[in-house]
């Protein structure tokens, strides 16, 4: 009888040790001691841990997926949650360091050294274009398990940062930047109400000389920044009028066409009545130059 009592005690000790063991599926930063759950962390959603560049998607039932920006391997599991505590990896790690990821903005420009990405939101998905490793990229990415997936790369979003191929891109100001799918605060998916919200109704003026189309000027005081044509709540095209706007290569109104040829790949040129039109297939832009070789107009086609 004493033997069975000892055996029962021994099994209880073993079971107690098993309870304290951490499931192998837990991420690196969640593998050791119990910690009190933070108020923020009680909410399901996406979180980012800056120290390790770990991304955590937490569901309302405390199941999760975890991705590290530098290996992008997806791990999944479920937290043990009891009496306001969950199992975490590091006893010294405060759950407060987990930052909740906000919804990605409709437009963001992100830079890492000489690489730049133009990120446009399209529903839950993203349209990403730009220059990476000296090459032009343009790709649609679908959102799945906390990660944006494309044909040739994966992208992770953490508020003012994005991660691509293990590189961290920081968001930059883009109020006067011309890109493939965006101009300043606008992107190719912007609607009429969003245009009014971004620039203010008082700064929009109908182009009366063009009666057959819905063309409007965007003004800054009395200066015409650009004109846009809209049909069926979709922007069809934009004409840049102000020298404030520049491409990432520094090309804008007033730039010399020789500088344009050096910095942007030109797919076609046309000369008519002493005026030169140069087309960039990648940017979907036409640069029109005057006799003096200076760019006087930049036309962007979003109708396709």
């Amino acid at each position: 009888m004493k033997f069975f009592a000892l055996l029962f005690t021994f099994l209880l000790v073993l079971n107690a040790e098993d309870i304290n063991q951490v499931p192998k599926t837990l991420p690196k930063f969640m593998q050791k001691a119990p910690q009190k759950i933070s108020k923020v962390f009680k909410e399901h959603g996406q979180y980012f841990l800056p120290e390790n560049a770990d991304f955590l998607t937490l569901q309302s039932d405390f199941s999760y997926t975890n991705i590290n920006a530098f290996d992008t391997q997806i791990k999944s599991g479920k937290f043990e949650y009891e009496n306001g505590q969950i199992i975490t990896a590091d006893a010294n790690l405060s759950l407060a360091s987990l930052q909740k990821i906000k919804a990605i903005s409709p437009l963001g420009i992100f830079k890492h050294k000489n690489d730049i990405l133009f990120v446009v939101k399209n529903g839950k998905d993203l349209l990403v274009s730009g220059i990476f490793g000296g090459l032009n990229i343009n790709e649609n990415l679908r959102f799945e398990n906390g990660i944006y997936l494309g044909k040739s790369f994966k992208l992770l979003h953490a508020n003012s940062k994005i991660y691509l191929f293990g590189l961290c891109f920081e968001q930059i100001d883009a109020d006067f930047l011309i890109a493939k799918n965006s101009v300043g605060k606008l992107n190719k998916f912007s609607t009429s109400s969003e245009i009014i919200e971004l620039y203010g109704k008082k700064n929009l003026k109908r182009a009366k000389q063009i009666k057959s189309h819905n063309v409007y000027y965007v003004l800054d005081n009395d200066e015409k920044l650009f004109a846009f044509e809209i049909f069926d709540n979709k922007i069809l095209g934009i004409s840049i009028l102000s020298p404030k706007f520049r491409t990432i290569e520094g090309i804008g109104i007033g730039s010399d066409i020789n500088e344009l040829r050096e910095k942007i790949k030109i797919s076609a040129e046309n000369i008519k009545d002493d005026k030169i039109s140069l087309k960039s297939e990648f940017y979907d832009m036409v640069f029109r130059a005057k006799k003096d070789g200076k760019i006087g107009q930049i036309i962007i086609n979003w109708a396709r």
Side-chain angles (χ1 to χ4, degrees):
M1 198 71 167
K2 188 182 287 187
F3 171 78
F4 286 108
L6 288 171
L7 180 60
F8 181 73
T9 304
F10 178 69
L11 289 173
L12 280 177
V13 172
L14 283 180
N15 287 334
E17 290 176 352
D18 288 340
I19 288 171
N20 291 326
Q21 287 181 355
V22 178
K24 292 181 180 179
T25 55
L26 286 175
K28 291 178 183 177
F29 64 93
M30 296 182 178
Q31 291 173 0
K32 285 185 185 175
Q35 280 189 18
K36 279 192 176 181
I37 195 164
S38 68
K39 290 181 180 179
V40 175
F41 200 59
K42 283 183 180 179
E43 302 174 11
H44 63 278
Q46 282 192 288
Y47 295 83
F48 176 61
L49 186 67
E51 296 94 311
N52 300 336
D54 271 304
F55 291 77
L56 183 76
T57 302
L58 180 67
Q59 307 300 333
S60 56
D61 64 352
F62 286 94
S63 62
Y64 67 85
T65 55
N66 170 250
I67 307 162
N68 183 271
F70 301 107
D71 60 29
T72 63
Q73 290 183 348
I74 300 175
K75 301 172 185 178
S76 61
K78 190 169 183 177
F79 291 120
E80 295 295 329
Y81 175 67
E82 187 176 353
N83 297 325
Q85 290 188 334
I86 61 171
I87 296 176
T88 61
D90 189 345
N92 298 316
L93 173 67
S94 171
L95 289 174
S97 62
L98 283 166
Q99 301 174 1
K100 185 144 193 195
I101 298 175
K102 301 175 183 177
I104 194 166
S105 59
L107 169 67
I109 313 295
F110 299 85
K111 191 173 183 182
H112 173 79
K113 295 183 179 178
N114 294 325
D115 296 326
I116 187 161
L117 298 176
F118 308 101
V119 179
V120 174
K121 190 176 181 182
N122 183 17
K124 289 185 178 181
D125 301 332
L126 296 181
L127 178 59
V128 179
S129 61
I131 302 168
F132 185 79
L135 300 174
N136 291 328
I137 62 172
N138 186 50
E139 195 159 328
N140 287 292
L141 281 70
R142 73 182 189 279
F143 184 74
E144 188 177 304
N145 293 323
I147 191 168
Y148 291 95
L149 302 172
K151 291 182 180 178
S152 53
F153 59 85
K154 301 173 183 177
L155 183 146
L156 292 161
H157 162 248
N159 299 329
S160 62
K161 299 176 182 178
I162 60 173
Y163 289 83
L164 183 73
F165 294 113
L167 300 176
C168 179
F169 287 70
E170 300 275 354
Q171 190 164 11
I172 62 173
D173 177 57
D175 284 355
F176 294 100
L177 192 64
I178 307 171
K180 179 176 176 62
N181 299 305
S182 63
V183 171
K185 300 173 184 178
L186 292 185
N187 68 72
K188 67 185 300 180
F189 303 113
S190 296
T191 62
S192 301
S193 58
E194 288 171 340
I195 296 170
I196 293 171
E197 184 180 345
L198 288 168
Y199 288 99
K201 195 171 183 178
K202 66 178 182 179
N203 295 317
L204 302 177
K205 185 179 180 181
R206 181 81 181 257
K208 295 180 181 179
Q209 68 272 30
I210 309 174
K211 295 181 180 179
S212 58
H213 299 277
N214 292 321
V215 178
Y216 293 84
Y217 293 114
V218 175
L219 308 176
D220 181 13
N221 294 322
D222 293 328
E223 181 188 5
K224 293 177 180 177
L225 297 179
F226 60 87
F228 66 91
E229 181 181 356
I230 193 162
F231 178 76
D232 197 21
N233 211 24
K234 175 180 170 57
I235 299 174
L236 301 181
I238 289 182
S239 177
I240 303 295
L241 304 173
S242 170
K244 291 179 180 178
F245 287 89
R246 298 273 153 176
T247 67
I248 195 64
E249 298 87 356
I251 301 298
I253 302 297
S255 295
D256 190 88
I257 58 171
N258 291 322
E259 181 187 6
L260 168 64
R261 291 187 183 107
E262 289 175 7
K263 294 184 176 180
I264 294 178
K265 185 178 180 180
I266 300 301
S267 54
E269 290 192 28
N270 182 43
I271 301 175
K272 186 178 180 180
D273 299 330
D274 294 328
K275 293 182 180 179
I276 305 173
S277 295
L278 303 95
K279 182 179 180 181
S280 166
E281 191 70 35
F282 174 73
Y283 276 116
D284 286 329
M285 292 182 194
V286 174
F287 301 86
R288 290 183 175 172
K290 303 173 184 177
K291 286 183 180 180
D292 59 2
K294 303 295 183 183
I295 296 171
Q297 188 181 25
I298 301 172
I299 300 170
I300 303 163
N301 178 21
W302 285 345
R304 293 191 292 178

